[in-house]
Amino acid sequence: MKQVSRFEYPEELQPVFKKAKKLEWITVGYLITTSIVVFLTMGNSQAMKTAWFEDILSLTPSISFLIASRVFHKKPNKNFPYGYHRVVSIAYLCSALALFSVGGFLIYDSVHTLLKQEHPTIGIKVIFGHEIWLGYLMIAAMLYSTIPAMILGRMKLPLAKQLHEKNLYTDADMNKADWMTGAAAIPGIIGIGMGWWWADSVAALLISLDIIKDGYTNLKQAVFDLMDQIPKTVDDQETDPLLNQIEHKIKGQPWIKEHAFRMREEGHIYSGEAFLVPHDHNGQLTQQIEKLLQEVRDLDWRIQEFTIMPVRKLPQNGAEEN
């Protein structure tokens, strides 16, 4: 059995990939310290408890990315003749599920607290012989969990688009959830100090709506990717314009009478096949197919496997027909 050649990122994207890995290691270290700081200062604040839980789950995308980065470039073998590219889709699913879980937990916990009408309190802590309102420490912890997360998330977004790395894009969304949760917790803490017992939970509830929306969108796309949906863009999850480029390339061949093609996404890369009904050829069909095959692969580095099959009649199997 002939195996697919080893491939992942082209040489010009290797520095981008290394930068992405570096950012993920920084994120892991940062989130560990954040979760410790928040745990030590959370007291009875509902928003603080939620932020701590969210920090723990926020580790999932970064860890998933780092694990997948050690697997997807492995050489194909007898048991995995197509390589290990789909491990990226599995990592994306784990990350999307974690993001969705954060949003779901935020909604449940906040609504539960509001219905029970729990009145959280923020006490006093003695530090070096001085009494300090614990709320000040909570606000400082939230600032620490907010500002770096905002910076890291913004740094990851352009890298995710360059690498066609949906897992990295979801991690940027998780970083957004981090800083939004922290930003919501601060007014909640101030509200408790002013006697507004509901401010804590309302702040967490409002921010959870945006988080669960992002989580649902990414979770749905992660499942669809594993179901071999047509390739989608990383940022807005629309049909990849690259499919139109392939269509125009094939349609522009004068020796092709009819054609149909289909593509699927396997982690970072695309694979697919085209079925062609050629005009009466002059003995050059093999050369024409080889030339077209190379032109299609040259359109984008993500097109790793593309097969062209000449047929007498187009198959009725759901491929895009023209």
Side-chain angles (χ1 to χ4, degrees):
M1 179 184 296
K2 183 173 176 57
Q3 299 159 358
V4 173
S5 60
R6 182 180 181 181
F7 173 89
E8 201 63 38
Y9 288 123
E11 184 176 353
E12 62 270 19
L13 287 180
Q14 289 295 331
V16 181
F17 176 57
K18 291 179 180 179
K19 183 178 180 179
K21 285 201 299 182
K22 182 179 180 180
L23 284 177
E24 291 295 46
W25 278 114
I26 293 173
T27 300
V28 170
Y30 159 69
L31 287 175
I32 291 174
T33 60
T34 298
S35 62
I36 293 173
V37 170
V38 173
F39 178 79
L40 294 176
T41 59
M42 65 183 178
N44 293 323
S45 169
Q46 192 63 36
M48 290 289 287
K49 291 179 181 178
T50 302
W52 176 77
F53 180 77
E54 193 262 346
D55 284 338
I56 298 298
L57 276 181
S58 294
L59 286 166
T60 304
S62 298
I63 293 176
S64 297
F65 177 90
L66 292 171
I67 292 175
S69 68
R70 297 181 62 86
V71 176
F72 63 63
H73 58 75
K74 284 188 176 182
K75 187 176 181 180
N77 52 54
K78 183 176 69 174
N79 292 323
F80 293 91
Y82 291 96
Y84 294 82
H85 305 293
R86 280 196 183 271
V87 72
V88 177
S89 299
I90 296 172
Y92 178 38
L93 177 63
C94 293
S95 301
L97 183 59
L99 183 62
F100 183 77
S101 299
V102 167
F105 174 78
L106 278 168
I107 290 177
Y108 167 77
D109 214 33
S110 301
V111 171
H112 178 72
T113 303
L114 287 172
L115 292 177
K116 290 183 66 177
Q117 297 187 16
E118 295 179 353
H119 291 58
T121 58
I122 300 178
I124 301 295
K125 194 174 185 66
V126 178
I127 300 179
F128 301 118
H130 298 280
E131 292 185 349
I132 298 178
W133 182 51
L134 192 55
Y136 294 136
L137 299 180
M138 292 179 178
I139 292 173
M142 286 297 94
L143 288 174
Y144 176 66
S145 70
T146 298
I147 298 174
M150 186 184 300
I151 296 172
L152 287 169
R154 290 184 178 275
M155 291 178 68
K156 292 173 187 176
L157 287 176
L159 304 184
K161 294 177 183 179
Q162 286 179 270
L163 299 172
H164 193 71
E165 175 56 76
K166 293 181 179 178
N167 185 37
L168 187 62
Y169 195 88
T170 305
D171 192 26
D173 275 344
M174 185 67 89
N175 291 144
K176 184 179 76 170
D178 286 340
W179 71 257
M180 290 177 72
T181 302
I186 292 174
I189 294 167
I190 296 174
I192 294 175
M194 298 177 67
W196 302 339
W197 65 269
W198 44 265
D200 199 27
S201 296
V202 170
L205 178 61
L206 290 176
I207 213 67
S208 67
L209 298 177
D210 185 71
I211 296 173
I212 201 168
K213 173 183 174 293
D214 287 343
Y216 171 76
T217 301
N218 283 283
L219 181 59
K220 180 180 70 173
Q221 189 58 55
V223 173
F224 284 172
D225 284 353
L226 290 172
M227 293 172 61
D228 286 341
Q229 186 186 39
I230 62 174
K232 299 289 184 176
T233 56
V234 171
D235 48 356
D236 53 14
Q237 296 181 358
E238 298 290 336
T239 300
D240 196 322
L242 180 59
L243 298 185
N244 287 332
Q245 297 180 40
I246 298 173
E247 162 68 19
H248 292 152
K249 178 64 66 175
I250 298 176
K251 196 172 183 177
Q253 305 299 315
W255 54 275
I256 296 177
K257 182 179 180 181
E258 294 180 283
H259 72 274
F261 80 97
R262 57 190 178 192
M263 299 290 292
R264 65 181 181 272
E265 193 168 349
E266 299 179 2
H268 307 125
I269 67 168
Y270 294 170
S271 62
E273 52 271 331
F275 303 92
L276 311 178
V277 179
H279 291 288
D280 294 335
H281 58 86
N282 55 4
Q284 301 296 315
L285 182 60
T286 301
Q287 293 88 333
Q288 289 171 327
I289 289 176
E290 289 179 349
K291 181 175 182 295
L292 175 59
L293 182 61
Q294 188 59 51
E295 290 178 355
V296 170
R297 288 178 173 174
D298 288 343
L299 288 174
D300 196 280
W301 65 268
R302 291 170 292 170
I303 304 176
Q304 178 184 356
E305 285 300 310
F306 195 77
T307 304
I308 295 179
M309 174 65 69
V311 294
R312 293 182 178 179
K313 182 179 179 181
L314 292 180
Q316 302 299 317
N317 57 0
E320 296 184 12
E321 298 182 11
N322 291 275

